[in-house]
């Protein structure tokens, strides 16, 4: 029986892959990957390595999660080293936990190789530190996939009244609802927001606005994109090193 590595591919820039991830990718017999993992990484594999695409985009799955779990499990039954490669970090909205549990129940050995999550690295490439002395003492990473007008929300919106940083992943299609909800709980209409598209790649694009106007400014950006809400967004004026 094989061993599965639940591996983070980092946010896009191939050099943000960890040494440990690179080591197992070079040895892999099967790589199971999705859309967010930079496909250039696959060039590192040894000859004869099999690639299985189980594409996943903003919560819309090409394969449902239970079938992905099964693909990983079957791969482990037939091969030595199976790398399950996921964009960013496998345990940050990556469903790596479910995959690990599925393997564990079936007696398949696995390891987790954390990756650099887009939640902090994409803002960093846009010149936005998620914390900053005197401006933000914490940051939250929140799913933007759930519509904020849902009757029973799992998201503690009332806790978002502070000025601290909130990063929404998978939220571009709910951008108007998220911005309105934050205004509704009492945040100022001119509170700073940035939307960063295709972060850490040559196609990176950042749009800065306020809760009031960000939707009109950013709604047509290509995915993947994330939303940063917080006063830290203003630091970009000085710190925007990558796009500059
Ligand atoms: N496990 C991943 C997140 C998966 S959820 C991680 O740790 O980064 C997918 C969401 O991540 C996308 O909808 C988008 O909001 C965000 N994302 C991933 N890569 C991104 C990138 N290069 N630029 C902007 N947002 C990105």
């Amino acid at each position: 029986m094989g061993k599965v590595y639940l591996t983070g591919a980092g946010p896009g820039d191939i050099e943000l892959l960890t040494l440990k991830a690179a080591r197992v990718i070079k040895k892999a017999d099967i790589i199971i990957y999705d859309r967010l993992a930079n496909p250039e990484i696959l060039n590192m594999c040894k000859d004869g390595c099999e690639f299985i695409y189980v594409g996943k985009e903003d919560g819309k799955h090409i394969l449902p999660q239970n079938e992905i779990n099964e693909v990983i499990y079957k791969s482990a039954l037939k091969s030595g080293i199976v790398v399950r490669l996921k964009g960013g970090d496998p345990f940050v909205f990556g469903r790596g936990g479910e995959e690990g549990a599925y393997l564990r129940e079936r007696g398949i050995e696995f390891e987790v190789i954390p990756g650099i999550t887009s939640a902090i690295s994409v803002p960093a490439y846009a010149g936005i530190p998620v914390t900053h002395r005197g401006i933000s003492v914490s940051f939250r990473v929140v799913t933007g996939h759930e519509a904020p007008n849902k009757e029973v929300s799992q998201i503690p919106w009332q806790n978002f009244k502070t000025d601290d940083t909130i990063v929404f992943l998978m939220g571009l299609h709910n951008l108007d609802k998220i911005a309105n909800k934050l205004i509704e709980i009492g945040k100022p209409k001119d509170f700073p927001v940035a939307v960063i598209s295709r972060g850490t790649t040559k196609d990176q694009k950042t749009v800065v606005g306020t809760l009031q106007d960000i939707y009109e400014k950013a709604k047509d950006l290509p995915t993947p994109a994330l939303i940063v809400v917080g006063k830290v967004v203003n630091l970009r004026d000085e710190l925007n090193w990558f796009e500059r």
Side-chain angles (χ1 to χ4, degrees), residues 64 197 226:
S197 162
L226 59 73

Side-chain angles (χ1 to χ4, degrees), residues 45-214:
C45 300
K46 68 180 185 193
D47 285 346
C49 176
E50 184 186 337
F51 302 126
I52 304 176
Y53 180 72
V54 289
K56 204 170 162 187
E57 180 177 351
D58 296 332
K60 287 172 261 163
H61 299 194
I62 288 180
L63 274 189
Q65 187 64 42
N66 59 342
E67 284 174 38
I68 295 177
N69 293 346
E70 197 60 19
V71 169
I72 300 170
Y73 169 60
K74 294 249 169 74
S75 300
L77 290 181
K78 73 174 190 199
S79 249
I81 296 181
V82 177
V83 171
R84 168 63 173 126
L85 190 64
K86 302 162 98 68
D89 180 89
F91 279 7
V92 177
F93 298 119
R95 306 191 73 168
E98 289 161 66
E99 293 171 1
Y102 192 90
L103 295 170
R104 167 86 195 163
E105 279 160 23
R106 285 156 189 80
I108 303 283
E109 210 188 328
F110 69 88
E111 275 186 37
V112 181
I113 303 181
I116 297 187
T117 179
S118 62
I120 56 167
S121 56
V122 168
Y125 269 55
I128 302 170
V130 289
T131 69
H132 194 82
R133 205 176 159 83
I135 297 181
S136 176
V137 294
S138 75
F139 65 95
R140 294 167 176 269
V141 182
V142 179
T143 174
H145 186 52
E146 181 193 289
N149 51 1
K150 217 174 119 181
E151 291 256 316
V152 200
S153 177
Q154 290 188 57
I155 300 171
W157 291 99
Q158 293 305 324
N159 296 349
F160 295 175
K161 284 182 179 155
T162 72
D163 284 352
D164 285 354
T165 310
I166 315 170
V167 179
F168 289 94
L169 301 187
M170 304 176 287
L172 191 63
H173 66 290
N174 278 327
L175 180 58
D176 54 339
K177 299 195 193 105
I178 290 168
N180 287 334
K181 182 77 185 182
L182 292 172
I183 292 171
E184 191 188 305
I185 64 158
K187 279 179 130 51
K189 285 187 173 140
D190 62 355
F191 201 73
V193 187
V195 177
I196 309 154
S197 162
R198 303 197 170 161
T200 80
T201 76
K202 63 174 180 14
D203 301 322
Q204 174 171 316
K205 218 170 165 237
T206 305
V207 171
V208 173
T210 63
L211 286 175
Q212 178 136 280
D213 66 16
I214 193 69

